[in-house]
Amino acid sequence: MPISKPLYAPFIDGMRAIAVLGVILCHLNPTWMPGGFAGVDIFFVISGFVVSISVSNFDGIRLQNLIIYFYGRRLIRIAPALIICLLSTFITTALFIPDAWLSKDIYNTGFFAFFGLSNFVLADNVGSYFSPSSAFNPFTQTWSLAIEEQFYIIFPLLFWAWLNKRKNFSTFCYIILSISSLICCIILNKMDTTKSFYMIWSRFWELGIGVLLFQLLSFGGHSFSLLCSSRKIFSCGSDLAFLIMLAGLILAGPEFLPFPPAILSVFGAAGVLGFLHGRAGGFAYRCLTSGLFRYLGKISYSLYLWHWPILVLCRWTVGLDKAVVQFVAVLVIFLLSSFSYYFIEQPPRQAGRLLAKPIIITGCLLLIILSFFISKEIFKYRYQISLSTVMRNASVWYINDSDNHQVTERQEKIKIGNFLIISPLYKKVSCQKLFVIGDSHAGAYLKLFKNFVASTGIELYLFSQGGCGFMLFQAGIDEVSSQCNQFNAAAIEYIMDTASPGDIVFLPSLRLPRMIDQWAIFDENAIVNRFFTDNSNKREEAITTAIPILKKLTGKGAHVIFEGPTPMLMTIPFRCSDWFNK
């Protein structure tokens, strides 16, 4: 048991309040606090510092006992509110968010969040922390919790040496790992900024600075259990560090994160902790220990957990642009976070004082596993419980959900020269054949094709290769790859050998470019430039190439059908399908 209880430092709650307010303001409207996301960096420094203090009096403790005590404390602190937040988010996601490009990584992120691994899912995302795929993912905020949980794996192992008269060795390890992490962060920034932002090996240095600050103060004889004498130099130092920390929240930008933008926030936070711990005085102390900031700091964990899914739910439904929506969202965030603090966070922590740490660890782990399986069931039945018209009518909205048991499907490998075509065939009873050539746009007609086969008995040959348009004729289009040319030539050759008079050849590539898609994101300016680009030479060349092919097909007696240009939509259609997002 600890010899003496660590000193309560109210200004740390104020620092947490500043950090979480910066994050919330940035997420609500980036123009209000451009670098507010750097509040997470402040949290990391505080966490490394505070967890060091929490076990600092366990001199001579056995490693096994340290691990049990440490994980028991951390689990009872983190798990209850996190589990309730995750389950609630799974339910609201199933109710309101349809399957789409922006939601394809949501459930995996949530599943991994139960085990402190969501940052791995987000790091493998095609978009960064500032991309739409992250902004519309209600579990994105769990990445920083995952970083801390991964840090907790190594922390007691290295800090145990500090508690067992090997302080220099422990400090040396943290110095080496922190420097290595910073170097990794700098190098990884140039290679993959997304992984640099999300991964523990490029963030360890921020938590490590918190630990090293504790150890440096300890070497200087600082007491973490008693108040220290206050001097002017400490007040001035804390005020300057406080201003540096605030500057980090304002000046940090998304470029090259987390280094160098995090430097101001990290070292400013470390300065405030070092100058103010155990002391009073100065502007920073008065500000950070005010009643409002202390309260916000106490509920900061719940604020951080709940603010993000609420804002994301607004983005998926009523939007987040109107002032009235922003006001209501903020009100809900603070009310829900206060409720979470008093009725979800506090009761388990109070009960944890009466329970043995092995029981706490076992209970929390079982609760995590149970909640994980509950979330899997929510995911499994999301189509049945959804309030979204899109999800309840998936067979209408999604081409992959287009099974028609009236038709027979088989895969046929067609080898022509050195090129192999794998064509899905759909057949009922008719001798007439329908040939379709095109890119993924042709494959998007799959539901229509199956219904057509079911109603007419026609035999379908579908030659669809993603990115290989056939007779596009679009202005500003890039050169078709040689592999696509081979594919298209092989398909035409097969049709010429197989088609009979009266057969149908459908060429669905003659269309306008897409402005929006539920499974992809496009650069609007690039699309507009392509559409209005004067590229008549390429178009004439494409037409000249197409005419002989069309003459051959019609010469076989085939009916050639082009698709008329479809509407150019600026908004994904399902965004207007439900009462809650109209």
Side-chain angles (χ1 to χ4, degrees), residues 430-435 458-459 461 495 498-506 553 556-561:
S430 174
C431 296
Q432 191 180 25
K433 295 181 286 292
L434 167 63
F435 301 94
I458 199 169
E459 183 176 5
Y461 291 73
I495 293 172
T498 309
S500 303
D503 288 345
I504 301 170
V505 180
F506 179 37
L553 293 173
K556 291 278 293 185
H559 301 291
V560 178
I561 299 176

Side-chain angles (χ1 to χ4, degrees), residues 345-384:
E345 285 190 59
Q346 290 304 306
R349 295 178 71 179
Q350 294 170 1
R353 299 188 182 101
L354 306 176
L355 297 174
K357 292 299 184 287
I359 295 177
I360 293 174
I361 294 173
T362 303
C364 287
L365 292 178
L366 290 175
L367 191 59
I368 290 171
I369 294 171
L370 175 62
S371 301
F372 170 77
F373 283 107
I374 291 174
S375 69
K376 296 285 282 188
E377 290 299 302
I378 295 172
F379 171 76
K380 180 180 178 181
Y381 292 102
R382 67 191 188 282
Y383 290 99
Q384 289 85 346

Side-chain angles (χ1 to χ4, degrees), residues 173-286:
C173 289
Y174 277 109
I175 290 175
I176 293 299
L177 288 175
S178 297
I179 293 175
S180 300
S181 171
L182 182 57
I183 294 173
C184 175
C185 174
I186 296 171
I187 295 175
L188 196 56
N189 267 336
K190 301 177 180 179
M191 301 168 57
D192 191 328
T193 55
T194 299
K195 285 184 170 57
S196 177
F197 186 93
Y198 284 122
M199 301 310 294
I200 178 65
W201 37 81
S202 55
R203 291 285 189 172
F204 182 93
W205 64 278
E206 299 178 20
L207 292 130
I209 283 177
V211 178
L212 289 171
L213 174 64
F214 163 82
Q215 294 180 338
L216 177 64
L217 292 175
S218 296
F219 282 128
H222 181 78
S223 173
F224 294 92
S225 303
L226 302 172
L227 290 173
C228 307
S229 60
S230 297
R231 287 186 290 174
K232 187 69 174 179
I233 187 172
F234 292 112
S235 298
C236 293
S238 64
D239 289 347
L240 178 61
F242 182 60
L243 293 176
I244 293 173
M245 184 180 75
L246 292 179
L249 295 176
I250 298 172
L251 300 176
E255 302 83 6
F256 310 111
L257 280 172
F259 181 90
I263 289 294
L264 292 176
S265 299
V266 168
F267 286 98
V272 174
L273 290 169
F275 285 118
L276 276 188
H277 191 273
R279 301 182 179 90
F283 168 77
Y285 181 83
R286 290 193 299 273

Side-chain angles (χ1 to χ4, degrees), residues 235-439:
S235 298
C236 293
S238 64
D239 289 347
L240 178 61
F242 182 60
L243 293 176
I244 293 173
M245 184 180 75
L246 292 179
L249 295 176
I250 298 172
L251 300 176
E255 302 83 6
F256 310 111
L257 280 172
F259 181 90
I263 289 294
L264 292 176
S265 299
V266 168
F267 286 98
V272 174
L273 290 169
F275 285 118
L276 276 188
H277 191 273
R279 301 182 179 90
F283 168 77
Y285 181 83
R286 290 193 299 273
C287 179
L288 294 173
T289 56
S290 66
L292 178 61
F293 277 179
R294 288 174 62 181
Y295 175 74
L296 293 177
K298 288 181 182 297
I299 67 171
S300 59
Y301 176 53
S302 285
L303 278 171
Y304 184 78
L305 276 180
W306 289 101
H307 87 280
W308 182 252
I310 291 172
L311 297 181
V312 170
L313 183 62
C314 289
R315 292 192 180 104
W316 277 104
T317 55
V318 297
L320 199 56
D321 299 323
K322 295 181 179 179
V324 63
V325 176
Q326 294 173 344
F327 174 78
V328 172
V330 169
L331 182 63
V332 172
I333 288 169
F334 280 92
L335 291 177
L336 186 56
S337 298
S338 295
F339 177 87
S340 174
Y341 173 74
Y342 287 110
F343 299 103
I344 300 176
E345 285 190 59
Q346 290 304 306
R349 295 178 71 179
Q350 294 170 1
R353 299 188 182 101
L354 306 176
L355 297 174
K357 292 299 184 287
I359 295 177
I360 293 174
I361 294 173
T362 303
C364 287
L365 292 178
L366 290 175
L367 191 59
I368 290 171
I369 294 171
L370 175 62
S371 301
F372 170 77
F373 283 107
I374 291 174
S375 69
K376 296 285 282 188
E377 290 299 302
I378 295 172
F379 171 76
K380 180 180 178 181
Y381 292 102
R382 67 191 188 282
Y383 290 99
Q384 289 85 346
I385 67 176
S386 178
L387 298 178
S388 170
T389 299
V390 175
M391 295 291 280
R392 291 201 310 272
N393 298 279
S395 62
V396 176
W397 286 87
Y398 302 111
I399 62 168
N400 293 331
D401 192 7
S402 58
D403 292 337
N404 192 319
H405 300 292
Q406 294 177 294
V407 301
T408 301
E409 177 181 354
R410 74 179 189 275
Q411 298 282 337
E412 180 172 300
K413 296 182 180 180
I414 303 170
K415 185 171 174 52
I416 303 174
N418 295 323
F419 205 88
L420 182 66
I421 296 177
I422 302 177
S423 174
L425 306 179
Y426 302 92
K427 185 176 182 180
K428 195 177 180 185
V429 294
S430 174
C431 296
Q432 191 180 25
K433 295 181 286 292
L434 167 63
F435 301 94
V436 182
I437 316 174
D439 52 16

